[in-house]
């Protein structure tokens, strides 16, 4: 694993190659993996993600031509983004630029204008893999603007500003989880976030005998946008019929009682959300007590619910979870589930650290055999949220 310092040095180097001078500022924001609490942030529920050791890093300097334009080049060579800071910022082309554009617009509204900048983005968060590459990009942009402007905004305002950028500029009606953990993650801690009160609790996870393994199916399903928005609407509909502000306020008994008034699909969507919120609270207790078998069982149950009731899994993700179940407790796996929005992307497994090499090998081989696809597998310790590396 490349350390963050190394990654920052690489980014500085790429800045020099691109702009012909060294950068004045370097910031980084991590991607995340959600351990449990899936598709419940927009139901006012609890989520339990952690930041991972994969980052969007931005190196920057004042623009060479003195113009009030923020120019962002990407290390992969895709089309650069140019944002004129002297006029109201609008969504536009290239599409990936809408994440930073939305963040810049948010800061301009707060009266914070960073002035013209040359920026080089280098991200190691896999795109479209359900590890919040977009939140990492938003939070890195926000951290850069704070650093350049010499003014920090409070972390909750910062995370919400980034979420708004994604909602309004990228058109994704996401909840608050990804941006919160990219801002507030802490090394060796999971972040228990109450998405209603927005209160956070850092849950220590420093037991080195267990690791979180991330298995990227390397499948991206096209449906994400539409499928995600539809799930949200179904949950809102269920809450309305149940007469509660959000599914956070509903109990399994209330749902059962209202069964006749809900379509089968909406009933199952609500059953997932209500049960997942409860599982997340229990999983946080399990992590606090280092009760890994319990946490693992809750992860498997979460996956089954996402697969059957919420229908956001896919064949490849189900295959990974089946392989994990086959390897089982004896082979060093406590639990496994899809993570993130779904329809492809990554699974997360809670595993015994000493068996990581054997498990990696086994999952890779079985997955390849069953799907003909090569998975990308890695382990990450819970990482720190956004950081200023050179300020
Ligand atoms: C995406 C969204 C999050 C959350 C997850 C599902 O990552 O950005 O807000 O809803 O899906 O848990």
């Amino acid at each position: 694993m490349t350390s963050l310092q190394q990654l920052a040095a690489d980014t500085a180097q790429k800045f020099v190659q691109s702009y012909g001078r060294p950068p004045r500022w370097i910031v980084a924001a991590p991607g995340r993996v959600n351990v449990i609490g899936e598709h419940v942030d927009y139901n006012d529920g609890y989520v339990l993600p952690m930041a991972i050791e994969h980052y969007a890093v931005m190196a920057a300097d004042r623009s060479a031509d003195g113009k009030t334009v923020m120019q962002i080049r990407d290390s992969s060579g895709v089309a650069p983004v140019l944002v004129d800071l002297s006029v109201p910022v609008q969504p536009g082309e290239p599409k990936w630029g809408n994440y930073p554009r939305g963040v810049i617009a948010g800061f301009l509204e707060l009266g914070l204008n960073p002035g013209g900048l040359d920026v080089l983005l280098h991200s190691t968060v896999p795109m479209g893999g359900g590890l919040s590459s977009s939140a990492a990009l938003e939070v890195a942009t926000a951290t850069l603007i704070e650093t350049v402007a010499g003014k920090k905004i409070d972390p909750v305002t910062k995370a919400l500003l980034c979420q708004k950028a994604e909602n309004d500029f990228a058109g994704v009606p996401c909840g608050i989880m990804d941006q919160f953990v990219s801002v507030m993650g802490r090394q060796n801690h999971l972040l228990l976030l109450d998405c209603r009160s927005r209160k956070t609790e850092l849950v220590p996870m420093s037991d080195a005998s267990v690791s979180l393994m991330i298995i990227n199916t390397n499948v991206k399903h096209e449906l994400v946008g539409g499928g995600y928005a539809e799930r949200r609407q179904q949950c809102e509909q269920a809450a309305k019929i149940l007469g509660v502000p959000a599914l956070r306020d509903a109990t399994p008994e209330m749902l059962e009682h209202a069964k006749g008034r809900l379509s089968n699909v909406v009933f199952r969507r609500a059953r997932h959300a209500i049960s997942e919120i409860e599982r997340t609270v229990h999983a946080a207790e399990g992590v606090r007590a280092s009760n890994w078998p319990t946490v693992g069982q809750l992860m498997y149950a979460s996956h089954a619910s996402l697969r059957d009731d919420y229908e956001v899994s896919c064949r490849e993700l189900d295959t990974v979870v089946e392989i994990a179940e086959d390897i089982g407790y004896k082979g060093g796996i406590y639990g496994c589930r899809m993570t993130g929005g779904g329809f492809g992307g990554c699974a997360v497994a809670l595993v015994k650290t000493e068996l990581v090499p054997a498990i990696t090998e086994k999952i890779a081989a079985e997955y390849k055999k069953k799907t003909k696809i090569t998975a990308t597998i890695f382990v990450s310790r819970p990482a720190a949220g956004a950081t200023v590396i050179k300020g």
Side-chain angles (χ1 to χ4, degrees):
M1 174 82 46
T2 349
S3 73
L4 182 54
Q5 288 306 323
Q6 183 59 50
L7 194 58
D10 292 349
T11 310
Q13 179 70 30
K14 287 171 194 295
F15 185 95
V16 174
Q17 280 160 9
S18 186
Y19 291 105
R21 61 189 195 283
R24 182 160 153 197
W25 299 283
I26 304 176
V27 301
R32 64 99 187 93
V33 67
N34 189 18
V35 176
I36 197 163
E38 214 65 84
H39 284 278
V40 292
D41 59 351
Y42 52 81
N43 287 307
D44 278 2
Y46 288 94
V47 294
L48 191 64
M50 66 176 213
I52 55 172
E53 295 158 311
H54 284 236
Y55 305 86
V57 185
M58 280 181 160
D61 188 22
R62 282 269 159 246
S63 54
D65 56 13
K67 285 193 184 140
T68 52
V69 169
M70 186 154 157
Q71 173 179 192
I72 312 173
R73 296 183 185 163
D74 180 77
S75 65
S76 71
V78 294
V81 176
L82 294 169
V83 189
D84 186 344
L85 301 170
S86 61
V87 293
V89 181
Q90 302 289 341
E93 294 291 333
K95 287 266 179 295
W96 74 269
N98 286 331
Y99 302 105
R101 271 190 208 100
V103 173
I104 297 164
F107 273 91
L108 294 182
E109 257 172 48
L110 292 177
L112 277 178
N113 188 331
L117 291 173
D118 286 343
V119 183
L120 191 283
L121 165 69
H122 181 51
S123 180
T124 57
V125 189
M127 299 285 283
L131 299 177
S132 294
S133 54
S134 51
L137 173 52
E138 291 149 11
V139 174
T141 308
T143 308
L144 178 65
I145 297 175
E146 284 180 318
T147 309
V148 171
K151 193 168 190 294
K152 277 195 166 212
I153 57 177
D154 83 271
V156 171
T157 309
K158 181 174 172 182
L160 292 175
L161 184 154
C162 291
Q163 180 212 13
K164 190 169 187 298
E166 184 140 349
N167 291 166
D168 297 353
F169 275 66
V172 182
C174 66
I176 64 172
M177 169 171 69
D178 309 342
Q179 293 79 9
F180 266 69
V181 67
S182 186
V183 172
M184 296 169 210
R186 178 85 56 88
Q187 250 178 355
N188 292 326
H189 289 79
L190 305 183
L191 186 76
L192 179 65
L193 168 62
D194 176 340
C195 299
R196 169 165 280 168
S197 68
R198 294 167 185 157
K199 287 224 161 64
T200 54
E201 181 195 326
L202 289 162
V203 183
M205 189 165 173
S206 41
D207 181 347
S209 73
V210 289
S211 295
L212 284 153
M213 178 178 278
I214 295 157
I215 304 113
N216 192 342
T217 60
N218 284 322
V219 179
K220 292 175 198 171
H221 281 216
E222 295 300 322
L223 272 169
V224 180
Y228 186 90
E230 188 188 48
R231 298 301 181 286
R232 262 197 97 134
Q233 281 158 12
Q234 288 163 335
C235 288
E236 277 158 24
Q237 199 187 332
K240 206 164 166 196
I241 296 173
L242 290 173
V244 289
L247 288 178
R248 158 80 172 265
D249 306 296
T251 60
E253 295 71 37
M254 286 164 81
L255 181 65
E256 205 49 50
H257 196 68
K259 198 169 184 178
R261 287 181 284 134
L262 300 166
S263 72
N264 176 273
V265 171
V266 172
F267 174 80
R268 286 185 293 114
R269 302 295 188 253
R271 185 164 61 186
H272 165 72
I274 296 168
S275 60
E276 183 78 354
I277 294 171
E278 205 177 323
R279 276 190 290 274
T280 307
V281 173
H282 288 149
E285 285 162 10
V287 174
R288 280 188 212 105
S290 299
N291 185 347
W292 309 122
T294 295
V295 177
Q297 285 310 312
L298 290 163
M299 290 170 78
Y300 280 133
S302 167
H303 184 78
S305 176
L306 288 156
R307 180 191 61 209
D308 302 334
D309 277 351
Y310 220 62
E311 295 176 285
V312 290
S313 186
C314 64
R315 194 174 63 80
E316 293 81 1
L317 284 165
D318 294 343
T319 302
V320 172
V321 175
E322 281 158 23
I323 296 168
E325 274 169 326
D326 279 351
I327 296 172
Y329 182 67
K330 283 209 175 105
I333 302 187
Y334 292 104
C336 183
R337 54 181 289 277
M338 57 152 277
T339 184
F343 306 105
C346 292
V348 58
L350 181 66
V351 303
K352 287 187 186 151
T353 304
E354 57 176 352
L355 293 172
V356 163
I359 294 168
T360 306
E361 208 174 294
K362 188 95 200 264
I363 295 180
E366 286 292 309
Y367 181 73
K368 178 86 189 200
K369 197 161 98 194
K370 295 195 160 130
T371 62
K372 312 268 178 287
I373 305 167
T374 304
T376 313
I377 303 176
F378 61 92
V379 161
S380 175
R381 295 295 314 158
T387 32
V388 178
I389 297 162
K390 189 174 180 202

